[in-house]
Structure formats: structure tokens, C-alpha cells
Amino acid sequence: MKVKVLSRNPDDYVRETKLDIQRVPRNYDPTLHPFEVTREYTRALNATKLERVFAKPFLASLDGHRDGVNCMAKHTKSLSTLLSGSCDGEVKVWNLTKHECVRTLQAHEGFVRGMVVRYCGASFFTVGDDKTIKQWKMEAMGYGEEEVPLNTILGKTVFTGLDHHQKDGVFATCGQQVDIWDEQRSSPIRSFTWGVDSFSCVRFNPVETELLGSCASDRSIVLYDMRESMPLKKVIMTMRSNTLCWNPMEAYYFTCSNEDYNLYTYDMRYLQRPVTVHMDHVSAVLDVDYSPTGKEFVSASFDKTVRIFLKDGGHSREVYHTKRMQHVICVKWSADSKYIMSGSDEMNIRLWKANAAEKLGVLAPRERQAANYSQKLKEKFQHHPQIRRIARHRHLPKNIYHQTKELRIMKEARSRKERNVRKHSKPGTIPVVSEKEKHVVTVVQ
Amino acid sequence: CCGHFWTYNRMTVGQFEELLLLPQHLKSEEEEYGCEDDRKRQKLLEAISALGGKRKKRLGERSEAAVQMSEFTVNAEGEGDKIDLSDLIGTMDKTPAISAKTKNRLRKLQKSKKTIECPLSKQETERIQRDVAFQKAATEVSRWDGIIKQNQRAEQLVFPVNQEPSGPKPMERVVTSWKAQTPLEQEIFALLSANKQPITDPILTPTETASLKAMSLEEAKIRRAELQKARALQSYYEAKARRERKIKSKKYHKVHNKDKRKVFLKQFDEMVKTDPAAALEELNKMELARMQERMSLKHQNSGKWAKSKAVMAKYDEGARKAMQQQLEVNKELTQKLITSLNNEEEEEGVDVEVMPDFVNDAEQGLDSSNPWMREEDTEKVEETEEEALLREFDSRRKLRQAQEADVVPSAAEELDASDKEAEELTEFTSLFRGIAEQAEAAADASPSDTKTQLDEGLMRIKTLEDVELLSQEESAPEIASVQPQPSPATENLPHATQQGGKNRKRKRGIELKEVLTKETKVIQVPLAPTVEDKEDSDENLDQRGLIKEAFAGDDVISDFLRDKRKQEDAGKPKVVDLTLPGWGEWGGMGLKVSRNKRRRFRIKTAPPPPRKDERLPSVIISERKNSSISLHQVNSLPFPFENHSQFESIICSPVGRTWNTERTVKRVTKPKVVTRLGAIIEPMAREELMRDKNHGSAGNAK
């Protein structure tokens, strides 16, 4: 007779080395796990709370400028290098990992209006109030040598903005008109004008590299093709746009920061109405920059805050501010999409994390898995009121808080009035105008 | 000349024209030719004449070829004369280089008298140019549509886009210029080259590459899948056949055979039409089988088995059945294929004779499969049915005749009653609708915009306690904000109770009975109209009558009241009996618990707060909804979901490793965007577009 006995194979439960993790046999039968949803809900709630607790986005403040920081430029090849130009014409090159200034040069008299690094990373261009375009070497001068620009172009009018082509030795400036320059020549190879106005910003499309966009002081945004002799199209909005930034992953989308506290994302093929209106700032928006992944963008505002928006989100997902940060004039998103740099009026450049609660540095595999899991849980339960409430909570300075409230009341009052007017007038005479259509005056061909 | 425009305002027109006349480079050329003096003199003269105020028309001259020459200053000798096309064409005849075709065309042109349209204005042309350029740019940009859509839909995006694959790289990519130098290396390379081992590409030998070329991986996969499928099908089929062969159930085989026979008959019928010869053969076969059966006693009750069964049949039903089956088989087999009715009867008679008597005796309708019993039964049933029908028709006719006398007044009554009912029902529904509308209005008023916005406040979170505090603190306003939410019920309530209060002064509240009930009428339903009496009775029944007839049995209102009462009863306090036998008393069988003790341990629970729908006759408000839980529940369907079941299924499927296998967890918790620490993400390059076109796959979606 055969006697049956219970036996287990040690291979199933004995670790090979003590460094292995313990093997946990599991039964995945759902009938054995009646409380899975509630358990996951609790985990999601805890993950959300921890995220809020660990949300410490501010990393460093780089001080050294003797006037407000007016413009910044990312290095195209090096992540740790940042260039900044101030209102007194000084340009500083920073090492972000060491939090220190590695080079200072007096580039212009008056403001440094714009700066951009050449695509190869070997030199950079600056424009200033002294009507000059200067090209500088990226490498620091030797000891005792004088800082001399590689090349200086004397213009007839003040330049207010500058951008470089993605792959060719061509750059664009704006001022009284938009000029396209060849690096080898001292006069523009092409200049675009359309009516009489001055431009505040010009940007090359990073994907379709021959296209440009610019913001003009007559409240318009003008599109150009470098190869054509004429501008392409112009959209006039109710208020002036300050800057514009193209989405680096999606060729036909760009976002502009406007004086009316909003940002607008346009599809360049359909300028009649913006794709999305991004609201939340309580003062003029001065600068905008896309994340290199093209999923989000960051905006700097006169209301002393930096906000991060999803590219298709109507409201911001994050707001950064500190007590000492004044009007934020320029902002950049680092090329590895992990950091945000903001330059403000009170002469400082601040370094922020792009995801406030993210752990920086190399993650162990299990750590990464845990982070992914908690992220997924937060996403899954994001609609539950308690979790949503905690995830949405942000601290705001008092004045901005009250201003937001005031703006909301004003907006409600306006919409109420409109509704009442509509109610008391002949049906059909007062059309319902959507928020998107409200801000576009005309599109000029 | 545009460089000089800025001085335009300061110069006189004449001077300006001169400047136009002499662009810089032209000047320099002239200097070379040395005829500057003349020109200077002439200029001086002209300037002097211009000072005189009189503007003389100058005669410009065109002495040398230049790129930039103003059209305004070119004057011909015969200025003022009109130039005719014929003047030009006249010279054309002399030049042999011009083809006859163009000559003809020019001649035609000479004859035509049409004027050419004047060109568009500068603004117009510019606009057209801009429009064309924009269209071009737009189409160019639209090429990215596919990639952008793809990336938006992709489950995971990995940045930077063009990452070099990690892992070992082939040697020659790492070391580009490397040669065998030492004798050992040279020997090894000689061996390798002799055996046709690849040196430059150490991955594949020529034979291997050849085999790869012969059949690509995908083809091989497809082929293997096909083979696998075929093998699996075959094995299934075999297994099925084996299984079927093993089945012992007779019933199964019987049904099976029957099926087969049916199929065969069908085939046979078809065969008769299509292939008569084969059909005839089949027929012959069948005939042969019949003859054999008739000759043999195979399926009759004469075999050994049949006899033993016949003994058992009196007591055992199974045996009886078996015998009958056998007889059926016999009958079928011995039946002639084409036979007249008489023959059948005769044969039946014969069969009956063959069968032992008791087989039929014991049956008594127990087994309906018995053919004889069956036949009899059906006949009886048919008879009874016919009789019943006839009887019914008779009675109906009588009834109708009786009714027709008082049809008109009764119909009118019914109509009136139904009208009243309808009125009450509309009141009922309007009440409901009013409530629903209020609910909608409340929902509209509540700000729906807040969902997406950040909840910005003045409090700063530093520790977990703060988060807790936050949740406590903010739950209060949340509750406040939530309370208007269930307004359909609660907001409506005070209003309703007020009304109720007013009424109470007069009447002490609304009596449910008075409001809702009415005598549930017993509606006389006429018999279901059949085809026969349709002709004469249909005119009286209109739509309303029909509906009433259809829902004759339903009494919605009383049902509702019953429901409500049931709910109220369920909410009422119940007496809980907590007496335990034996405690403080004697215990054991047949002993009663004393009344004192029972009184002491019967506990009456406190009455619940009054129901919300106490004074609302037409509403049931469920008390089961728990407000403390609803604070944690999602109260409206979130955006991307289309129905509740979708959302619920998402919530109910767990993602953790406690409930899922490792691989599933990894797949499910995959982050949407992956970026690498310290890697620069370049903007999308045009090459992506090419790559996408080439092999139609995602640029960076993985």
C-alpha cells in the first residue's frame, strides 16, 4: 500500500541567497480578497497625502546679478549650464549642479533683451538695448584676456528678441520688424513687416524648422515662413501677447502668454479660435516655455508665481512661489524635463523641480515600482472627493488668494449680467460666445 | 535704391530722380570709362534749370547695361509716339530664329482688339501671396498629424526619442580601426576566415544569413502558427470521436441516429433531384435491408434477450421500454417505403398481434413515447380541443348578444372613469417633474468648474498631521457645500412641509388614502377578441379601451402605496428580545421564561427620526442613504467615462501586486511618460516623419 504524505519542494520556498527577497506565495482568487477596493483606496489616500507632504519643489536660488534678470537661455548640449542676461547688460553663465556663476561678462549697455545658444553649443548670441547683436564664445576667456565678442552687428533699431534656427547658421531677431540673419553676413537676408508695429518675441518652430512665430505690440501674433517673402498669417487678439513658445513634439501647436492673465494654445492651421485657454494667473503672463516632452508647459507671471499647465488643461496643475520672489520675468524648462528655472525682478534665478514631490536621483528598481504603483493609484482614485481635495490643495500667498477670489467674483458677475441681458432681449439677438472665441478679434490673411 | 529712402523727405523730387538715375555701382563704372565730366556738366545744368522753378522734361539716356534701371527715366527718341505691335512684328519677319508658330501667334494677337485687364493692386497681390504661402505651410505641417495622434494615444512615451539600445554592442562598432597584429591573433583570424566565420559582423555566418533570408521570422511564425492550429484541430477531432464512441447511453445514440437519419433523408431527397441513379441505388439498399429484416427475426420478440426481457417486463419499466424500442426498430425497418394507408393499418394490426399483451397493459399513459398510446392520446386531445372551441364560441356568442344591449352606456362610463384617472395621473407626474426640475436647477447652479482647479488656500502642508488637519478642517465647508447638493430632496422638503403645515391647520395633514387611493375597480375584461368576432365588435373598442384592457391587472397606485408602507414598516423600531434561558432561573426542557425576566430583557430601540417623506404622499425617500459615506463617494460620472459600469469596472479591478501577478502589475502601472535622468530631450526631428512613413510604426511610442 502506498502511503500518501504531504511533501514540499524546498526549491519553492527557500531563497538561493540571503540577498534575495522572500518568496511570497499568493492566491489571486478574487473571492479570497473581498476588500481589495477599500484597501487600494486607503493606499491611494496615503499616497496622495505623502505626495503633498513631500512636495518641496524649491531647490536653489542663484544670486549674483546686480539687476533684474531679463532673459535666460538653455545650453543646447550641456544640462548643467544656464545663461542669463540682466537689465544692466550683464550676462552670466551658471553651473547649475554647483549653484555657482562660472563667468560674467558685460555684454551690452542697457538691457540684455534676448539671448540664445547656437545649436552646436559653441557660441551664443545676445541682443541689447544698444542696437547690437553680439556673438560670444561659450568657453571662458583665458586669465587676463578681455571679454571680446566673436562678432558684432550694429543694427538700425533696437532689437527686442532673438532666436536661433535648429540646424542651420541662421537666426532671427525682432524689433521694428522681424529679420532673418545669416551668421556670415552683416545685413539681414530677409526682413518681414506687416503694418507698423514693434515685436516683442520671435521664435523658430523646433520641428518644422523653417516656420516662425512672433508677437507684435498691436495685439497680434504673426506667423512666417523663412523661405517665403511674405508673412503667412496674423491673428489679432483682445490684448497683447508677450511671448510665444512652440510645442517641441507637436509641430503645429504653440502657446502664447497674454497680458489678459491667460495663456492660449493655438493650432497654427486654425487661428480663428485657440485650442485651449489656460487660466489661473492673476496678472499678466510674461513668459512661457514648453517641457521638452511636449506634454506640459510652464509660465511666469507678473503676479510673482510660476505655474505649470498640462498642454490641454484649462487650469494649472501646480503653482510655485516664494516669499522673496518678485515679478517673474523669464522661465525655462530644462532639457531633461526634470527642472524649471525662473528668473525674476529681484535679481535671482531660482531652480525648481518640475514634479514637486518627485524623488531625485537614481531610484532602486523596487523604489521605482513603488512610485509607479502609487502614481497609478492616485490616478485611479483621483475622482474620489477626499483624494481630489488633498491632491488639489496648494498654499498661496494672501494677496494672490484674495485676488483670485476677486477675479472669480468679477467673472461670475459678468457672466450673470450677460445671462440677464440675454434673458431680457429678443431671443437670438445676443449670441452665446464661448470663452475661446471671446479673445480673438480677427484673423488677417 | 531702397537704402536712400530715408532721405526722401529732405530732398526735392528732382534731386531724388537724379539719385535714382545714378546708383552707386553705375557711377563707379562710369568713372572707369572716363566720361564723367559730360555727365556732371549736364547734371549741373539740370539742377540749375530745376532751381528756376520750371520743370523741364529731361531726356534720359541709357548708355550701358545695368541690373537696376529705373523705368521712369528710360526715354526713347520717339517719345510720345505710340508704339504699335506691328512695329515690333515687322522686324520679326527678318529674323530667322523665330519659329513660324510664334509668328502666327503674334499675328493673331495683332488682330485681336481686346484690352488686357489691369493688374491687381499691391495689397491684393500680397494677400494672395500670403494665402498661398500659408496653405503651403499648413499642408506641410499637417504631415505630422499621424505621429501626433499616435503619440497622444500611446500608452507609454519614452524620451529621448532616439535612444541607443542599451546592452552589448557589436565589436566593430566600438572599435572601428582594429587589425590583427600579434601572430596569435593573425592565426585566429586566418582560421575564422577559412571557416567563413564573419569577422566584420560577428553575429551571423553567411549560411545563417542565407537561411534568414529564405524565411523571415514573421513568415516562420505564421507558418508555425498554421501548423499548430491544424494539429490542434486534428487532435480535437480525434478526441471527440473517441469520446463519442465510448458513450454508452442508448438515448444518446438513439437521438444521434435519428439525427443522422434525418440528414440522410434530406440528402436523399436532394439526390433524387440531382442524381437519380445514385438515389435508386440507395433505394435498393434500403429495400434490401427491409427484406433482410422481414426474413430474419432479428428485432422481433423471439430472441433470447427479448424473451428474458419479456419475463422481466411485467415488473421492470426499463425492460419494457427496451422491448418497445426494439419493436419500433422492427417496425421502421419492415415498413415499405411507399405504402398506402390500408397497408399500414394491416401492418399495425400484425404488429399488435406479434406483441405480447401485457406490454400494453401495464403502460397506462406512463410513457408518452409509446406510439400507440401517443396516437390515441393525440386523437383524444384533438377531440377535446375541438369540442372546447365549439363550446367557447357558443358561449361567447351568447355573451355578446347579451352585452350588445347595454354596450353604449357602459362604454361611456368607462371613458369618464379613465379620463379622471388620467387627470390624476398627470397631476402626479407634474409633481414629479417639478421636483426633478428643481433638482436640475440646483445642479446647474452648483459650480462644476471647480473640479479641475487647484484648491488654493492659505494653509501650508508640512507634515502628515497637517494633511489630517486639512481633511478635518476642510470637510466642514465641504459638508456645507455638499448639503445643497442633495437639494432635490432636502431643499424641496421644507417647502413641501410648509405646504403640509398650512394644510394641517385646516386638516391635520394629508391623508395618504385621501390623496391617492380610490377604489380599485374591478374592470370587466371582455374576452380576448378572436378572429371570428373581430368583424362586428371592433368598432366599439378604441385606443383607450385597448390600453386599459392591456394593463387591466396593474394597479400602480396601490402598488406604490404598498411599497411605501413596506419601507415605513422596515424603518420602524423593533423590539429586541435578549432573554437567555437559565440565567437567574431554572433551566431545562419545557420551562418557560418568567414574564418578569422577559420584560426586563426586551429592549425597545429608540424611534428613528421622522421620515423625510412623511408628508409627501407621492414620494418615497429612501432613508438608507448614508451621508457620512457619500462624502467619500464619487457623486457624478467623471469625464472620460461614458457610463457607470465602465467607471465601476475600472475602480473594481485592483492594480496592486497583492491581487495581480508580477507581470500584470508591471504592465498596468507602467508610467505614461518616461524620461531618463540627465539625458537631453531633443525636439521631434524630421527624420521621425520619414521613419514613420517607412515602416508605419510609432516614432517613439512603445
Side-chain angles (χ1 to χ4, degrees):
Chain A
M1 195 181 93
K2 194 184 175 190
V3 180
K4 284 180 181 170
V5 291
L6 283 175
S7 73
R8 290 210 288 165
N9 185 1
D11 286 350
D12 291 341
Y13 56 90
V14 175
R15 290 183 293 176
E16 279 178 4
T17 70
K18 67 172 185 180
L19 299 174
D20 282 356
I21 45 174
Q22 288 283 6
R23 195 173 187 136
V24 188
R26 291 190 198 284
N27 192 342
Y28 298 119
D29 182 4
T31 55
L32 299 177
H33 301 285
F35 295 116
E36 48 196 15
V37 179
T38 40
R39 284 173 75 187
E40 287 218 315
Y41 176 79
T42 317
R43 284 180 195 179
L45 191 66
N46 287 342
T48 320
K49 285 177 181 175
L50 283 178
E51 185 207 303
R52 284 293 89 218
V53 169
F54 289 128
K56 305 247 178 278
F58 181 65
L59 290 176
S61 164
L62 312 175
D63 55 340
H65 273 299
R66 284 171 294 183
D67 208 333
V69 182
N70 196 44
C71 57
M72 289 195 298
K74 292 183 274 189
H75 197 285
T76 43
K77 296 292 171 195
S78 152
L79 276 175
S80 61
T81 312
L82 178 76
L83 293 93
S84 64
S86 75
C87 299
D88 59 354
E90 204 176 47
V91 167
K92 274 179 184 286
V93 182
W94 302 89
N95 186 332
L96 289 176
T97 44
K98 290 182 187 164
H99 301 172
E100 64 180 21
C101 173
V102 291
R103 188 179 164 201
T104 309
L105 48 116
Q106 186 65 36
H108 295 278
E109 288 164 25
F111 282 48
V112 181
R113 287 289 175 188
M115 60 196 312
V116 67
V117 179
R118 197 168 185 272
Y119 61 95
C120 63
S123 63
F124 63 93
F125 296 85
T126 56
V127 291
D129 269 357
D130 53 0
K131 302 184 188 173
T132 51
I133 306 168
K134 289 182 181 173
Q135 185 181 11
W136 307 83
K137 243 166 115 177
M138 189 57 85
E139 285 170 17
M141 293 287 159
Y143 180 74
E145 275 179 78
E146 215 179 320
E147 292 278 9
V148 188
L150 285 178
N151 194 8
T152 307
I153 299 170
L154 205 65
K156 291 192 187 72
T157 53
V158 177
F159 299 107
T160 52
L162 171 76
D163 198 19
H164 201 281
H165 191 273
Q166 202 69 27
K167 286 163 197 154
D168 295 335
V170 174
F171 64 93
T173 59
C174 63
Q176 299 287 326
Q177 74 274 353
V178 171
D179 292 324
I180 311 287
W181 303 76
D182 192 327
E183 280 175 4
Q184 309 299 326
R185 300 192 188 182
S186 58
S187 59
I189 52 174
R190 186 149 287 161
S191 54
F192 297 108
T193 45
W194 191 346
V196 181
D197 47 20
S198 63
F199 294 88
S200 61
C201 165
V202 63
R203 290 281 174 89
F204 271 103
N205 187 333
V207 186
E208 281 295 331
T209 47
E210 266 66 45
L211 296 180
L212 297 113
S214 73
C215 300
S217 60
D218 68 341
R219 302 168 296 148
S220 66
I221 298 167
V222 193
L223 299 179
Y224 308 92
D225 190 331
M226 209 175 81
R227 297 158 292 193
E228 307 286 343
S229 57
M230 293 280 155
L232 300 182
K233 214 168 207 184
K234 172 153 92 169
V235 55
I236 299 177
M237 302 180 70
T238 48
M239 285 184 80
R240 191 165 70 98
S241 296
N242 284 318
T243 44
L244 152 161
C245 187
W246 293 89
N247 190 328
M249 288 293 157
E250 302 180 349
Y252 42 74
Y253 290 116
F254 66 86
T255 302
C256 61
S257 60
N258 204 291
E259 285 280 326
D260 64 359
Y261 311 173
N262 295 339
L263 294 112
Y264 302 92
T265 299
Y266 279 97
D267 185 332
M268 68 157 274
R269 298 168 295 173
Y270 314 106
L271 292 173
Q272 290 80 12
R273 66 200 300 246
V275 180
T276 324
V277 182
H278 311 274
M279 300 189 253
D280 261 357
H281 279 297
V282 292
S283 190
V285 190
L286 298 183
D287 199 8
V288 58
D289 193 31
Y290 259 96
S291 141
T293 59
K295 295 273 164 199
E296 290 166 327
F297 61 83
V298 61
S299 66
S301 165
F302 199 74
D303 64 7
K304 307 176 187 176
T305 59
V306 171
R307 280 182 189 265
I308 302 174
F309 292 84
L310 292 179
K311 73 162 197 272
D312 46 6
H315 291 278
S316 60
R317 78 157 169 83
E318 196 67 78
V319 52
Y320 294 162
H321 57 86
T322 65
K323 240 180 210 170
R324 297 182 180 189
M325 188 162 72
Q326 295 302 311
H327 315 301
V328 194
I329 294 176
C330 49
V331 71
K332 290 276 175 225
W333 199 307
S334 78
D336 61 347
S337 89
K338 299 268 185 202
Y339 303 97
I340 285 166
M341 282 83 73
S342 70
S344 43
D345 240 4
E346 86 308 331
M347 307 180 254
N348 279 335
I349 295 166
R350 288 192 170 75
L351 188 64
W352 310 85
K353 283 197 275 188
N355 287 315
E358 192 187 29
K359 192 187 171 191
L360 293 176
V362 181
L363 294 182
R366 292 181 69 197
E367 223 173 350
R368 191 181 305 119
Q369 276 173 20
N372 287 349
Y373 176 50
S374 59
Q375 186 58 41
K376 182 73 195 177
L377 281 182
K378 277 181 258 170
E379 219 169 89
K380 184 179 158 187
F381 289 99
Q382 62 183 338
H383 304 294
H384 285 68
Q386 297 297 313
I387 289 177
R388 201 177 62 218
R389 193 168 46 75
I390 294 170
R392 257 171 30 198
H393 179 84
R394 296 287 182 284
H395 168 253
L396 266 192
K398 208 180 202 172
N399 56 343
I400 298 177
Y401 177 74
H402 290 303
Q403 220 168 331
T404 318
K405 243 162 89 181
E406 204 179 304
L407 282 176
R408 196 188 310 139
I409 290 166
M410 281 159 70
K411 197 180 164 195
E412 268 164 25
R414 236 173 279 138
S415 71
R416 190 170 55 236
K417 178 165 187 182
E418 200 190 316
R419 208 164 49 232
N420 287 342
V421 168
R422 187 172 303 123
K423 208 187 280 170
H424 292 288
S425 52
K426 197 176 152 194
T429 47
I430 297 171
V432 184
V433 184
S434 73
E435 185 66 31
K436 287 174 186 173
E437 283 159 348
K438 249 178 222 170
H439 303 282
V440 177
V441 178
T442 47
V443 177
V444 188
Q445 284 187 341
Chain B
C1 297
C2 32
H4 300 286
F5 270 118
W6 62 280
T7 48
Y8 182 85
N9 292 334
R10 282 179 240 157
M11 295 168 75
T12 61
V13 179
Q15 280 168 325
F16 182 57
E17 279 181 352
E18 279 162 22
L19 265 175
L20 280 176
L21 183 67
L22 298 169
Q24 283 176 339
H25 62 279
L26 216 127
K27 250 187 215 169
S28 62
E29 275 175 20
E30 280 170 28
E31 278 166 16
E32 280 178 13
Y33 289 109
C35 53
E36 197 190 11
D37 289 351
D38 289 9
R39 204 154 274 250
K40 269 190 176 170
R41 200 179 126 259
Q42 201 172 358
K43 240 166 91 180
L44 189 69
L45 283 176
E46 276 168 10
I48 289 164
S49 65
L51 281 176
K54 249 194 206 171
R55 289 215 53 202
K56 205 185 105 192
K57 207 167 193 188
R58 284 179 296 106
L59 265 183
E61 64 180 78
R62 188 175 174 180
S63 49
E64 57 259 78
V67 184
Q68 285 179 326
M69 181 65 83
S70 173
E71 57 193 284
F72 303 115
T73 53
V74 174
N75 289 333
E77 277 176 30
E79 199 192 3
D81 298 350
K82 240 188 171 180
I83 297 173
D84 239 354
L85 192 59
S86 55
D87 298 341
L88 299 172
I89 293 172
T91 56
M92 182 187 71
D93 287 331
K94 289 156 199 166
T95 44
I98 298 166
S99 67
K101 209 176 175 184
T102 43
K103 275 177 195 169
N104 270 338
R105 225 191 270 166
L106 278 171
R107 250 175 232 128
K108 255 180 216 165
L109 209 67
Q110 202 179 357
K111 276 169 200 163
S112 70
K113 297 284 180 190
K114 250 191 269 172
T115 52
I116 300 165
E117 281 177 38
C118 67
L120 283 175
S121 68
K122 195 183 165 197
Q123 282 77 16
E124 286 279 310
T125 45
E126 275 182 358
R127 177 180 293 169
I128 288 167
Q129 277 175 0
R130 279 197 297 260
D131 203 29
V132 168
F134 177 77
Q135 296 302 337
K136 218 166 95 184
T139 49
E140 201 173 314
V141 154
S142 297
R143 289 179 307 168
W144 291 94
D145 256 341
I147 284 183
I148 288 171
K149 290 259 167 63
Q150 209 169 33
N151 286 355
Q152 278 168 356
R153 273 199 299 266
E155 276 183 19
Q156 189 177 38
L157 290 174
V158 181
F159 295 104
V161 179
N162 285 320
Q163 274 185 27
E164 281 208 354
S166 58
K169 288 173 193 166
M171 199 212 357
E172 81 281 349
R173 219 178 284 169
V174 183
V175 189
T176 44
S177 58
W178 183 78
K179 274 180 185 174
Q181 285 168 342
T182 61
L184 178 67
E185 281 171 357
Q186 279 166 355
E187 203 174 318
I188 288 171
F189 272 86
L191 266 175
L192 284 176
S193 55
N195 290 336
K196 281 192 178 174
Q197 280 290 330
I199 298 161
T200 50
D201 185 1
I203 299 161
L204 294 175
T205 59
T207 48
E208 279 169 341
T209 47
S211 69
L212 259 190
K213 266 182 194 170
M215 186 185 281
S216 72
L217 182 67
E218 276 167 31
E219 271 178 32
K221 270 183 183 167
I222 291 167
R223 175 92 185 110
R224 198 181 63 170
E226 275 173 7
L227 279 176
Q228 263 178 349
K229 197 180 172 188
R231 229 176 297 142
L233 277 178
Q234 196 183 349
S235 72
Y236 290 153
Y237 186 75
E238 279 170 5
K240 195 182 169 191
R242 224 175 295 138
R243 203 178 58 238
E244 277 176 0
R245 230 184 301 137
K246 269 189 184 171
I247 291 173
K248 280 179 182 168
S249 161
K250 277 193 180 148
K251 193 164 185 186
Y252 170 78
H253 283 292
K254 204 170 81 183
V255 171
H256 207 65
N257 286 337
K258 215 175 198 174
D259 272 359
K260 267 189 192 166
R261 221 175 302 142
K262 253 186 202 166
V263 172
F264 172 74
L265 273 177
K266 243 184 209 168
Q267 279 179 351
F268 183 74
D269 282 347
E270 273 178 28
M271 214 189 280
V272 169
K273 280 170 199 163
T274 55
D275 189 4
L280 204 67
E281 221 166 84
E282 286 289 320
L283 209 65
N284 282 341
K285 257 188 213 168
M286 272 151 68
E287 186 62 39
L288 195 73
R290 194 179 75 88
M291 275 155 67
Q292 276 172 353
E293 177 66 26
R294 280 182 75 109
M295 279 194 294
S296 71
L297 298 169
K298 204 176 173 187
H299 286 107
Q300 282 166 18
N301 293 328
S302 53
K304 202 175 173 185
W305 174 83
K307 272 175 189 164
S308 71
K309 285 285 162 191
V311 173
M312 291 296 292
K314 207 161 193 180
Y315 313 104
D316 188 3
E317 205 178 320
R320 212 154 44 218
K321 266 187 195 170
M323 281 187 67
Q324 273 174 14
Q325 269 176 17
Q326 207 193 12
L327 283 172
E328 259 179 86
V329 171
N330 179 41
K331 194 180 155 195
E332 274 166 25
L333 281 172
T334 50
Q335 229 168 19
K336 252 192 180 176
L337 286 179
I338 307 146
T339 50
S340 68
L341 275 172
N342 295 340
N343 286 353
E344 225 173 44
E345 274 174 7
E346 276 174 16
E347 274 178 10
E348 269 179 35
V350 168
D351 282 345
V352 169
E353 273 177 15
V354 171
M355 241 177 33
D357 288 340
F358 51 80
V359 173
N360 263 345
D361 282 353
E363 269 267 291
Q364 283 161 5
L366 270 175
D367 194 355
S368 58
S369 65
N370 186 334
W372 292 276
M373 288 298 286
R374 217 188 298 146
E375 275 173 30
E376 274 180 14
D377 264 352
T378 46
E379 272 174 15
K380 266 185 196 169
V381 166
E382 274 172 10
E383 272 181 17
T384 50
E385 269 180 9
E386 275 178 10
E387 279 174 7
L389 273 177
L390 282 173
R391 243 179 282 135
E392 209 175 38
F393 292 161
D394 256 4
S395 64
R396 234 181 256 173
R397 234 166 267 137
K398 276 174 201 165
L399 201 91
R400 202 181 339 123
Q401 279 161 8
Q403 270 185 349
E404 264 175 339
D406 53 7
V407 144
V408 183
S410 72
E413 272 175 18
E414 270 182 14
L415 274 177
D416 277 1
S418 61
D419 272 349
K420 273 182 200 166
E421 235 175 40
E423 273 176 18
E424 276 165 9
L425 271 173
T426 48
E427 276 177 13
F428 206 72
T429 47
S430 68
L431 223 148
F432 271 120
R433 209 171 292 143
I435 291 168
E437 271 169 11
Q438 278 182 3
E440 271 176 17
D444 283 343
S446 69
S448 58
D449 197 35
T450 51
K451 255 183 216 171
T452 48
Q453 267 172 313
L454 289 176
D455 196 2
E456 291 155 346
L458 295 172
M459 202 184 120
R460 202 190 279 271
I461 296 176
K462 280 172 185 155
T463 57
L464 258 184
E465 282 77 47
D466 282 348
V467 178
E468 297 293 341
L469 205 72
L470 163 84
S471 49
Q472 281 168 16
E473 183 202 73
E474 292 197 7
S475 59
E478 190 84 359
I479 292 166
S481 70
V482 163
Q483 257 163 0
Q485 287 277 354
S487 52
T490 46
E491 200 180 274
N492 192 12
L493 189 67
H495 186 65
T497 44
Q498 269 183 11
Q499 282 187 347
K502 275 177 201 165
N503 277 354
R504 189 160 40 174
K505 275 174 193 165
R506 275 178 266 143
K507 225 192 184 184
R508 212 203 120 249
I510 302 166
E511 285 298 315
L512 292 185
K513 283 270 176 183
E514 283 170 38
V515 177
L516 284 179
T517 45
K518 34 192 251 146
E519 306 311 318
T520 51
K521 283 186 304 179
V522 179
I523 301 160
Q524 288 198 340
V525 189
L527 283 166
T530 53
V531 185
E532 283 154 317
D533 47 11
K534 205 174 185 178
E535 304 146 4
D536 38 10
S537 71
D538 240 14
E539 297 98 61
N540 298 330
L541 289 171
D542 62 339
Q543 187 71 13
R544 199 186 295 273
L546 272 175
I547 287 172
K548 198 185 275 178
E549 215 172 276
F551 294 103
D554 304 354
D555 188 2
V556 188
I557 294 170
S558 65
D559 277 354
F560 176 81
L561 282 178
R562 211 176 302 128
D563 273 357
K564 183 159 183 178
R565 203 165 303 130
K566 213 186 276 174
Q567 295 234 353
E568 278 170 358
D569 288 343
K572 270 177 188 164
K574 279 173 193 124
V575 179
V576 185
D577 195 357
L578 292 175
T579 48
L580 286 172
W583 287 92
E585 278 175 346
W586 287 105
M589 293 283 285
L591 280 174
K592 266 192 179 173
V593 182
S594 74
R595 197 189 296 161
N596 250 351
K597 189 181 171 186
R598 183 161 286 164
R599 203 195 313 133
R600 233 176 109 192
F601 284 100
R602 272 163 68 102
I603 292 168
K604 259 193 178 177
T605 48
R611 284 182 69 85
K612 281 175 186 166
D613 56 359
E614 206 175 24
R615 308 239 166 260
L616 300 171
S618 55
V619 183
I620 299 177
I621 299 173
S622 174
E623 301 273 321
R624 250 182 292 171
K625 199 191 168 196
N626 193 342
S627 61
S628 65
I629 291 177
S630 70
L631 268 183
H632 298 266
Q633 283 171 332
V634 182
N635 54 7
S636 61
L637 193 66
F639 158 59
F641 301 101
E642 279 164 357
N643 51 37
H644 289 274
S645 56
Q646 266 180 8
F647 181 59
E648 271 165 23
S649 71
I650 291 279
I651 290 297
C652 288
S653 57
V655 289
R657 65 183 68 249
T658 324
W659 307 280
N660 292 304
T661 55
E662 198 61 34
R663 188 174 294 180
T664 325
V665 172
K666 262 199 187 143
R667 205 194 56 233
V668 171
T669 61
K670 211 162 55 172
K672 274 209 169 138
V673 176
V674 177
T675 55
R676 221 174 58 205
L677 202 68
I680 292 178
I681 301 168
E682 296 286 347
M684 186 78 80
R686 284 234 179 87
E687 288 80 61
E688 289 300 313
L689 204 63
M690 299 296 132
R691 200 136 59 97
D692 191 60
K693 257 185 201 165
N694 281 345
H695 50 90
S697 67
N700 54 348
K702 279 170 193 167

